[in-house]
């Protein structure tokens, strides 16, 4: 009987110790959980990339564009994480975009400052300009303050042709930068050598693209004269007409030259005759080698007239 009482008391004490330890473990777990910082629910903060960005065109979203090296972005991250914990309850998707890893989205939304926050409702985007606290974010959604913000123009929207081009340009610039870093850091090419390579690549790619565009333009919009079925026949006829016209012009030019030569010969003969007649006051040619100048000829003619006048005076007297 004594052994039975001793064993029962031992079991009772063991049970009390076990309960005490359980309570201690439970209290320790509660203290540990309450001491943890408030964190977002699993999957409440979403990551937007170039591959899934079209998901934000449906539903309501709050999107933060950040960079890991940005001090202002680092200060905002805890607040944004707490705000994401409320997203599921308010029916809003909370997301973030790392612009260093997603250059296409940086160009698509024209991110010029960090951090940048956008609100999106069924594909209509508005840029958030308010304070960056959790309470301000919640009131912006709960009180629908976003309705007072002017939406982004449709032609500047992320799904427009212009922004698609900007996205492709930003992706290309990031690709060129990575190639430059690879050539200078891993291959040991100097910086100026990398610039020369990119310059030559740009030149040849521009020439190839221009030639391709010319071929496409000729194929899509062919010239009417080349597409005409009787173009080559007309061209041959025109060439023959031009050849005949050229031959006629040459014949006329030869005839005019012959006429000019005959006129020159006649003029030369008349000049010779006149010079012979002028050589003597009676119209007789001067002996060869005795041609007179114009002054001497004038004096001779004047002297002859004076002599004739004196003879007439003598006859009158």
């Amino acid at each position: 009987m004594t052994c039975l009482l001793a064993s029962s008391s031992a079991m009772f004490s063991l049970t009390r110790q076990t309960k005490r330890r359980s309570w201690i473990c439970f209290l320790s777990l509660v203290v540990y959980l309450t001491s943890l910082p408030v964190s977002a629910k699993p999957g409440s903060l979403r990551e937007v990339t170039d591959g899934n960005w079209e998901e934000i065109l449906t539903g309501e979203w709050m999107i933060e564009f950040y960079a890991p090296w940005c001090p202002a972005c680092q200060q905002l991250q805890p607040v944004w994480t707490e705000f994401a914990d409320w997203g599921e309850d308010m029916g809003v998707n909370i997301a973030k975009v790392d612009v260093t890893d997603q250059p296409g989205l940086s160009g698509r939304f024209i991110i010029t400052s960090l951090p940048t926050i956008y609100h999106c409702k069924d594909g209509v985007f508005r840029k958030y300009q308010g304070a960056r606290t959790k309470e301000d974010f919640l009131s912006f959604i709960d009180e629908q303050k976003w309705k007072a913000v002017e939406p982004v123009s449709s032609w500047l929207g992320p799904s427009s042709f212009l922004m698609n081009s900007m996205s492709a340009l930003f992706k290309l610039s990031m690709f060129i930068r990575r190639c430059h870093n690879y050539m200078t850091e891993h291959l040991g090419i100097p910086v100026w050598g990398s610039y020369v390579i990119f310059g030559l690549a740009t030149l040849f790619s521009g020439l190839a693209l221009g030639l391709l565009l010319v071929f496409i333009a000729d194929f899509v919009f062919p010239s009417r004269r080349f597409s005409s079925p009787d173009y080559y026949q007309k061209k041959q006829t025109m060439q023959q007409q031009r050849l005949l016209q050229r031959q006629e012009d040459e014949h006329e030019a030869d005839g005019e030259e012959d006429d000019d030569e005959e006129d020159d010969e006649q003029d030369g003969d008349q000049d010779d005759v006149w010079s012979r007649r002028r050589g003597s006051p009676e119209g007789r040619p001067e002996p060869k080698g005795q041609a007179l100048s114009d002054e001497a000829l004038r004096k001779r003619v004047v002297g002859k007239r004076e002599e004739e006048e004196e003879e007439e005076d003598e006859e009158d007297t």
Side-chain angles (χ1 to χ4, degrees):
M1 184 68 180
T2 304
C3 293
L4 183 60
L5 291 173
S7 62
S8 62
S9 64
M11 291 179 63
F12 180 73
S13 61
L14 181 61
T15 304
R16 290 182 62 185
Q17 290 178 1
T18 304
K19 289 182 178 181
R20 185 179 298 174
R21 289 177 181 176
S22 300
W23 277 104
I24 291 173
C25 292
F26 178 73
L27 292 175
S28 300
L29 182 61
V30 170
V31 172
Y32 174 75
L33 292 176
T34 55
S35 63
L36 289 176
V38 178
S39 59
K41 297 178 182 179
S44 58
L45 185 58
R46 305 181 62 176
E47 188 84 17
V48 179
T49 64
D50 286 320
N52 64 355
W53 75 271
E54 292 183 351
E55 296 179 1
I56 65 179
L57 298 177
T58 57
E60 189 172 5
W61 293 74
M62 286 287 286
I63 311 161
E64 176 206 7
F65 292 84
Y66 75 100
W69 48 262
C70 173
C73 300
Q74 295 172 2
Q75 294 178 2
L76 180 62
Q77 287 309 307
V79 178
W80 195 254
T81 304
E82 293 179 9
F83 173 55
D85 190 28
W86 293 79
E88 185 177 353
D89 298 331
M90 302 183 67
V92 180
N93 298 294
I94 312 300
K96 63 179 180 179
V97 178
D98 186 354
V99 295
T100 58
D101 291 336
Q102 310 298 329
L105 292 178
S106 177
R108 191 179 296 276
F109 287 87
I110 314 181
I111 304 302
T112 58
S113 61
L114 295 172
T116 298
I117 300 173
Y118 273 95
H119 173 269
C120 178
K121 177 70 172 178
D122 296 330
V124 180
F125 290 85
R126 293 174 173 85
K127 192 172 183 178
Y128 178 80
Q129 302 286 356
R132 297 169 182 172
T133 63
K134 183 182 70 174
E135 290 75 15
D136 291 312
F137 293 147
L138 293 174
S139 63
F140 184 79
I141 298 298
D142 187 38
E143 300 176 10
Q144 296 185 354
K145 294 182 179 180
W146 50 268
K147 291 184 177 180
V149 180
E150 184 178 359
V152 177
S153 176
S154 59
W155 63 279
L156 286 177
S159 58
S160 64
F161 174 78
L162 179 60
M163 293 300 101
N164 284 327
S165 302
M166 288 293 295
S167 176
L169 182 62
F170 272 64
K171 289 180 181 179
L172 177 62
S173 65
M174 185 58 66
F175 173 75
I176 293 175
R177 181 178 179 181
R178 289 174 180 173
C179 292
H180 173 74
N181 294 335
Y182 178 79
M183 287 189 293
T184 54
E185 295 176 3
H186 294 81
L187 300 181
I189 299 176
V191 176
W192 64 266
S194 176
Y195 290 157
V196 170
I197 293 173
F198 281 116
L200 293 176
T202 303
L203 178 61
F204 286 112
S205 61
L207 292 175
L209 181 60
L211 186 62
L212 178 62
L213 291 176
V214 170
F215 286 156
I216 293 175
D218 289 340
F219 179 77
V220 177
F221 305 103
S223 178
R224 293 183 178 179
R225 62 177 185 176
F226 292 109
S227 60
S228 178
D230 55 348
Y231 166 72
Y232 293 101
Q233 184 177 0
K234 291 181 179 179
K235 183 178 180 181
Q236 186 176 5
T237 304
M238 291 177 63
Q239 289 179 351
Q240 293 177 355
Q241 291 178 355
R242 290 176 182 175
L243 181 61
L244 294 174
Q245 184 67 29
R246 187 181 300 173
Q247 292 177 354
E248 291 178 359
D249 294 340
E250 290 178 356
H251 287 310
E252 291 180 358
D254 293 338
E256 291 178 357
E257 290 179 356
D258 295 338
D259 294 339
D260 293 339
E261 290 179 357
E262 292 178 358
D263 294 339
D264 293 338
E265 291 178 356
Q266 293 177 0
D267 294 340
D269 295 338
Q270 292 178 357
D271 292 338
D272 293 339
V273 172
W274 169 252
S275 62
R276 293 193 195 99
R277 294 181 63 184
R278 192 184 62 175
S280 171
E282 293 81 11
R284 296 187 300 272
E286 284 284 339
K288 197 171 185 180
Q290 297 182 0
L292 298 177
S293 63
D294 292 340
E295 185 67 22
L297 181 61
R298 187 180 65 81
K299 290 181 179 179
R300 179 179 293 181
V301 171
V302 171
K304 184 65 176 176
R305 287 181 180 178
E306 290 178 353
E307 291 177 358
E308 291 178 354
E309 291 178 355
E310 289 177 359
E311 289 179 357
E312 291 178 356
D313 292 338
E314 290 177 357
E315 291 177 359
D316 293 339
T317 55

